[in-house]
Amino acid sequence: MTTTATKTLEATLAPPTTGKEQRLERTVATYRRALSDAFESGADTQTAVNDIVTGYTLTSYAKDALKNYVPQLRRTYHASELEDDHPVRFTNRGFRIDHSDERTHEFCWRVPQAGRGTAFWIPLRINLEQESLWFDLLDGDISVGEFRLQQYRTSWVLHVTVEYEVADPEIPDDPTRIGFDIGESKLLTGCACQNDTPTRPYIYDGGRARALRKEMHTTLKRLQKRDAEQWRVDERFDHYQNALTDIVEKASREAIEYAESFGNPVIVLEDLSYIRENLDYGKYMNRRLHSWAFARLTDRFEDKALEAGIPVEFVNPRYTSQTCHACGHIGRRGSQSEFKCTNAECHVSTFQADINAAANIADRVDPWGESVPWKPERDDSPRNGSRCDTATGHRTPSRQSRQTTLAVFES
């Protein structure tokens, strides 16, 4: 069996001539005006958006993308305001590339423009690691989705979403399930559960990412108060976003290597589809948590697992950080890094909180469905469209204490 993998191809446009750059700039400016007018009008259907963007000098590919995107901003992303740097989106109908090995830049992209015969070609500097996918795209072996043009201070970047078939990893007969907890303090915490015992935990510290996000918020706010030139604001924003992207790539790569160190690995992740809507910890914490793209890390993690042939399962995230992995009772967190079990009969007293959560995630999938903590007065049914069934259960604690102490993983 096969499954569909999604990847975003990236290419930098070769420096355009003055005339072509002016046309690119007009396209971006017109698109952003249309997006702003449609969003500010409160339009939340394709028909309503179409009534607004029809009069703009844009290709039908850009207008169709706006008709899809503006309602999503309201319904899916719950956006209350627009950022200033939205890329120009096009539907896949308008995508065309050409190739010739006689050119310095072998691939060229046909830039859609409003009006008959006004489109023009521009060379691309592709990411060589993605070269095979560009050839597959050229040959029609993979399908293109939406593509986006992003303007930066001194460059233009094209992002193309593609879909292609890969072998669907199968759950092995004797799997080693490895749970991963994604958080702020510890960006990624992995832990395998073997014989109901946390085994060889792995931690990728989130301190650098947290510091970058805090610095980004402070710096951009200061620049805006000083009425700095927009290119300075854009330059600093791009710097921080690139640094965070590097962290996401490194963390997900290391986590896959960690999973591959076990026999028959199966990665288990929390279903965080609704985490942004469910977070409400006050203005300051919401800003910090919402600024971290949980979904971005999860998506990259899942993509790399698929490429490595490792199956990925998703579980309901409820109570994973509040439950004792050994006895299944609800405990409490004495601090950000410390979990305390409140069950007097359990051999666990204190435990590294993120490892405890990762162990719960790994152990949450079983042949009968999803295990959840024993707490009769709570409603433990899945919420918000979780894809996992829930069954109330209570496991007998292990007789042998193999407690991972807090001090080992404190930073």
Side-chain angles (χ1 to χ4, degrees):
M1 294 183 64
T2 61
T3 188
T4 302
T6 302
K7 186 181 287 290
T8 299
L9 305 185
E10 180 178 289
T12 302
L13 276 60
T17 62
T18 301
K20 288 183 177 180
E21 183 154 39
Q22 289 175 349
R23 294 169 73 182
L24 290 171
E25 290 174 344
R26 282 199 299 269
T27 299
V28 171
T30 304
Y31 178 90
R32 290 178 177 170
R33 285 198 304 272
L35 172 62
S36 177
D37 287 350
F39 181 80
E40 295 299 333
S41 72
D44 58 0
T45 65
Q46 292 192 12
T47 301
V49 175
N50 181 67
D51 292 341
I52 295 172
V53 303
T54 296
Y56 284 87
T57 308
L58 292 169
T59 66
S60 61
Y61 318 125
K63 291 178 181 179
D64 288 345
L66 281 170
K67 288 188 286 186
N68 290 327
Y69 183 56
V70 173
Q72 286 182 351
L73 286 172
R74 297 287 186 190
R75 296 176 180 175
T76 305
Y77 304 118
H78 302 286
S80 58
E81 59 182 350
L82 286 177
E83 299 290 342
D84 296 329
D85 59 347
H86 273 277
V88 179
R89 298 170 182 265
F90 302 92
T91 57
N92 59 358
R93 293 186 301 108
F95 186 76
R96 286 183 59 186
I97 56 174
D98 182 62
H99 175 266
S100 172
D101 55 13
E102 297 181 358
R103 294 190 291 253
T104 302
H105 303 295
E106 296 184 8
F107 284 90
C108 284
W109 170 51
R110 183 175 181 270
V111 184
Q113 294 284 281
R116 184 179 297 274
T118 56
F120 59 91
W121 293 87
I122 195 164
L124 298 176
R125 296 171 174 172
I126 67 170
N127 181 346
L128 293 180
E129 293 181 356
Q130 300 175 335
E131 184 177 36
S132 62
L133 288 174
W134 281 99
F135 277 108
D136 289 343
L137 187 59
L138 181 70
D139 296 337
D141 296 334
I142 60 178
S143 59
V144 61
E146 183 182 76
F147 60 100
R148 304 178 300 278
L149 175 66
Q150 179 73 60
Q151 180 185 19
Y152 296 98
R153 177 175 171 248
T154 58
S155 63
W156 298 82
V157 177
L158 175 68
H159 292 100
V160 185
T161 302
V162 297
E163 293 183 348
Y164 54 99
E165 297 296 317
V166 297
D168 192 6
E170 295 183 0
I171 304 294
D173 293 334
D174 185 23
T176 300
R177 287 188 166 86
I178 306 149
F180 284 92
D181 180 59
I182 300 175
E184 259 227 312
S185 176
K186 306 302 181 187
L187 184 57
L188 260 180
T189 303
C191 186
C193 258
Q194 296 178 323
N195 300 321
D196 290 334
T197 302
T199 305
R200 289 166 46 200
Y202 159 84
I203 290 180
Y204 191 99
D205 189 72
R208 175 59 178 160
R210 188 168 63 252
L212 279 170
R213 297 197 305 277
K214 182 178 179 181
E215 184 181 335
M216 177 177 67
H217 176 79
T218 303
T219 301
L220 295 182
K221 193 173 182 179
R222 185 182 301 120
L223 287 172
Q224 289 170 349
K225 284 185 176 179
R226 294 177 179 176
D227 292 327
E229 295 289 338
Q230 186 60 42
W231 69 265
R232 290 188 180 275
V233 177
D234 293 342
E235 186 178 63
R236 296 313 298 164
F237 180 82
D238 293 342
H239 165 76
Y240 291 118
Q241 288 301 308
N242 289 337
L244 288 170
T245 297
D246 288 341
I247 291 174
V248 167
E249 292 297 315
K250 182 178 180 181
S252 55
R253 182 179 66 251
E254 286 190 7
I256 294 299
E257 292 172 354
Y258 164 73
E260 289 177 323
S261 69
F262 293 91
N264 298 328
V266 175
I267 290 173
V268 187
L269 300 173
E270 292 179 310
D271 184 354
L272 301 178
S273 304
Y274 294 84
I275 189 167
R276 289 175 67 90
E277 289 85 344
N278 292 336
L279 288 176
D280 187 15
Y281 300 126
K283 182 178 180 180
Y284 174 69
M285 280 302 295
N286 278 347
R287 174 180 61 76
R288 287 176 59 195
L289 293 170
H290 286 190
S291 66
W292 173 243
F294 289 95
R296 187 201 303 184
L297 180 54
T298 301
D299 289 347
R300 292 301 296 135
F301 200 0
E302 188 177 3
D303 288 344
K304 291 183 180 180
L306 193 62
E307 292 173 1
I310 302 176
V312 178
E313 297 177 310
F314 289 85
V315 298
N316 190 333
R318 285 168 62 89
Y319 304 126
T320 52
S321 63
Q322 305 170 43
T323 305
C324 176
H325 70 274
C327 69
H329 278 71
I330 296 290
R332 60 186 177 86
R333 293 182 74 152
S335 66
Q336 179 64 29
S337 60
E338 180 186 72
F339 171 83
K340 291 185 177 181
C341 182
T342 56
N343 180 12
E345 298 179 0
C346 181
H347 67 265
V348 170
S349 54
T350 61
F351 207 86
Q352 209 287 337
D354 299 297
I355 297 175
N356 178 72
N360 281 323
I361 294 168
D363 202 34
R364 184 153 281 196
V365 178
D366 59 46
W368 301 102
E370 182 189 344
S371 301
V372 296
W374 177 73
K375 198 71 175 178
E377 69 271 21
R378 293 181 186 265
D379 175 13
D380 289 334
S381 59
R383 302 293 179 89
N384 296 330
S386 170
R387 24 191 147 177
C388 297
D389 291 329
T390 302
T392 303
H394 177 57
R395 293 188 289 109
T396 303
S398 171
R399 295 180 181 179
Q400 182 178 3
S401 175
R402 298 184 182 179
Q403 182 168 211
T404 303
T405 60
L406 177 66
V408 174
F409 293 95
E410 284 187 320
S411 57

